[in-house]
Amino acid sequence: MISADKPSTDEWVAQGQARDLIQEKPNKTWRSYIWDTFDKSPEERRFLTKLDAAVLTFASLGYFIKYLDQNNINSAFVSGMKEDLSLYGNQLNYMTTAWTVGYVIGEVPSNMVLTKVRPSIWIPAMEVLWGILTMLLSRCTKASHLYALRFFIGLAESTFYPGMQYIIGSWYRKDELAKRSCIFHTSSALGTMFSGYLMASVYHLDGMSGFKGWQWLFIMDGVITLPVAIAGYFFLPDLPDNTKAWYLKPEERAFAKKRMELEGRKARQPYTKAKFAKILSSWRIYLLSLLYILFNNGNSSAVPVFQQYLKASKDPKYGVSEINTYPTGTSAVQVVTTLAYAWSSDSFLKGARWPPIVFGGVMNIISSGSLAVWNIPEGWRWACYYLAGFGGGLSGLCFAWAHEICTEDNEERAIVVGTMNEMAYILQAWLPLLVWQQVDAPEYHKGFVTVSCLSALLILTAFAVRYMHRRQLTSRGRQTRAASDSDESEGQISDIPKL
């Protein structure tokens, strides 16, 4: 076990306060449907306010810039880069694949590093790196330059999303987790939206200082990234068992440990062969990875489908500003539905994660199935592009579910979360080359059919995960009762006087 220093007198006092103030099951009223801290003690509320201000702010800003830097290639492509660099084949697909390969390679190793190295050092360092590399995209003159830089940007960005999901799962309880995970995830949609708005704005800088408008997009994205990355060194609180956050008092650090103890979320342990064997022989890593693979690839985010539809339109003809701003409505729908899923799952659905996942899958089938037909009324086509946002906000729920299912093993939780994201992007590395080929734009018949099929499989997998999780909870309950009965029997035997 990872060693810990002997608690000081102050820490013993703090641990006593935590036992008195942190409830195993808080008494909930209608106020918790609005925000979960309202029914908790003033001391725990203050702690959670600090934690939200630090973790959620950094996570959301960091994921915002991560998606900004990940998706700026799409905005740049339809805003002059295609013509300036003569990218008339499938180069956009190859750029996406180069990024995905780097992302896939880095995810699981990075999450393993986070169980040994302070997140407040590792994650901000990688953010600084990808911010610099993003600015260098503005100097590319060949597709091969773009491929190389996109690979290393993906490698650096692989640390962030699975890493922050692991950190969020290390601090928050079940009735808090989905909201935080989904608030974190909404920043991806905001990043996609802002990339379109930013491209529409910087396009007017075209020619300034010798740079094209699309080159200014990369420069501005890098400038936005660096301050957020540097802030991470000071505000990211690491993990409950090794935090040195300057804004948390000793009793609040004790709160963090007690809260995770009540959730059954285990502290860090060494990696051993037995641990790896246990993780790899469990259903959890395989079924949860399949769930996320189907969600992550069951959408059209691999290519700018709405933007390319607008760009291809002849009557009416859309300008650069309209091409970049109209599709942001899909991201707006995703933001609203993501938050609705989170609040409903944490409140009246009583922690159930599968109902919103099934609903999102059904909406994907409706929108993508209609677009696969293509010859549909124009108003319904536009509606389907926007309705696609209903299926984009399920990531936080998938990870919240994974944290709860893997709560009894910290290292399994870190590896499963990293593997879910990694396996999803392994498929994303090659699937767009087959079904989202640039030469098929804007109809993308194969792509929309694929989304419909993957969404149907997502629904079936969600039910399978629910079934296996219920079996796991039933088995765990039996073991707990058996251990309790055994303890009682031993206690009764010890009470018999010795003759």
Side-chain angles (χ1 to χ4, degrees), residues 346-363:
D346 273 353
S347 56
F348 64 84
L349 290 175
K350 298 181 179 179
R353 311 305 184 195
W354 63 270
I357 294 174
V358 169
F359 178 75
V362 170
M363 294 302 293

Side-chain angles (χ1 to χ4, degrees), residues 27-74:
N27 296 320
K28 292 186 177 182
T29 67
W30 62 269
R31 296 185 303 172
S32 65
Y33 286 10
I34 302 172
W35 191 243
D36 45 58
T37 63
F38 290 164
D39 287 332
K40 294 175 181 175
S41 68
E43 293 82 2
E44 190 175 6
R45 264 204 311 274
R46 281 193 291 271
F47 161 72
L48 283 169
T49 298
K50 290 181 182 181
L51 193 63
D52 288 340
V55 174
L56 278 188
T57 300
F58 175 74
S60 297
L61 287 175
Y63 199 40
F64 170 82
I65 60 173
K66 183 256 184 193
Y67 244 77
L68 195 64
D69 296 342
Q70 175 184 336
N71 287 301
N72 52 21
I73 202 76
N74 290 333

Side-chain angles (χ1 to χ4, degrees), residues 36-215:
D36 45 58
T37 63
F38 290 164
D39 287 332
K40 294 175 181 175
S41 68
E43 293 82 2
E44 190 175 6
R45 264 204 311 274
R46 281 193 291 271
F47 161 72
L48 283 169
T49 298
K50 290 181 182 181
L51 193 63
D52 288 340
V55 174
L56 278 188
T57 300
F58 175 74
S60 297
L61 287 175
Y63 199 40
F64 170 82
I65 60 173
K66 183 256 184 193
Y67 244 77
L68 195 64
D69 296 342
Q70 175 184 336
N71 287 301
N72 52 21
I73 202 76
N74 290 333
S75 297
F77 185 82
V78 298
S79 303
M81 186 177 76
K82 174 182 177 180
E83 292 76 14
D84 291 341
L85 302 186
S86 300
L87 307 175
Y88 293 107
N90 282 323
Q91 290 94 336
L92 179 61
N93 297 106
Y94 301 146
M95 285 179 239
T96 301
T97 298
W99 179 92
T100 303
V101 171
Y103 197 78
V104 164
I105 290 173
E107 288 182 277
V108 172
S110 174
N111 259 28
M112 293 178 69
V113 168
L114 286 177
T115 66
K116 306 300 178 185
V117 177
R118 290 188 176 276
S120 60
I121 296 173
W122 178 249
I123 290 178
M126 292 300 102
E127 283 187 283
V128 170
L129 177 60
W130 91 57
I132 294 171
L133 294 175
T134 296
M135 288 191 282
L136 290 177
L137 287 171
S138 66
R139 308 302 295 168
C140 291
T141 56
K142 296 180 181 178
S144 57
H145 300 164
L146 291 165
Y147 301 153
L149 281 175
R150 289 283 290 175
F151 170 81
F152 286 108
I153 290 171
L155 190 64
E157 288 188 351
S158 69
T159 61
F160 195 82
Y161 187 70
M164 287 308 305
Q165 284 288 4
Y166 166 67
I167 292 168
I168 289 171
S170 299
W171 286 92
Y172 291 102
R173 301 185 68 178
K174 182 174 182 177
D175 63 317
E176 307 158 352
L177 193 52
K179 285 192 283 296
R180 271 72 176 187
S181 291
C182 288
I183 289 171
F184 169 40
H185 185 69
T186 57
S187 51
S188 68
L190 293 172
T192 304
M193 290 173 64
F194 190 73
S195 183
Y197 298 139
L198 186 61
M199 185 68 251
S201 299
V202 301
Y203 189 75
H204 299 295
L205 298 176
D206 190 61
M208 184 176 291
S209 301
F211 291 104
K212 298 283 189 177
W214 61 267
Q215 292 175 307

Side-chain angles (χ1 to χ4, degrees), residues 354-387:
W354 63 270
I357 294 174
V358 169
F359 178 75
V362 170
M363 294 302 293
N364 265 350
I365 293 171
I366 292 172
S367 59
S368 293
S370 297
L371 290 170
V373 174
W374 192 252
N375 292 321
I376 55 178
E378 192 66 11
W380 178 239
R381 190 195 320 278
W382 277 66
C384 287
Y385 280 124
Y386 289 126
L387 289 174

Side-chain angles (χ1 to χ4, degrees), residues 281-302:
S281 62
S282 168
W283 65 269
R284 294 180 284 272
I285 192 169
Y286 302 105
L287 209 49
L288 288 169
S289 294
L290 178 60
L291 182 76
Y292 200 72
I293 286 169
L294 296 170
F295 154 72
N296 197 65
N297 290 276
N299 57 68
S300 58
S301 62

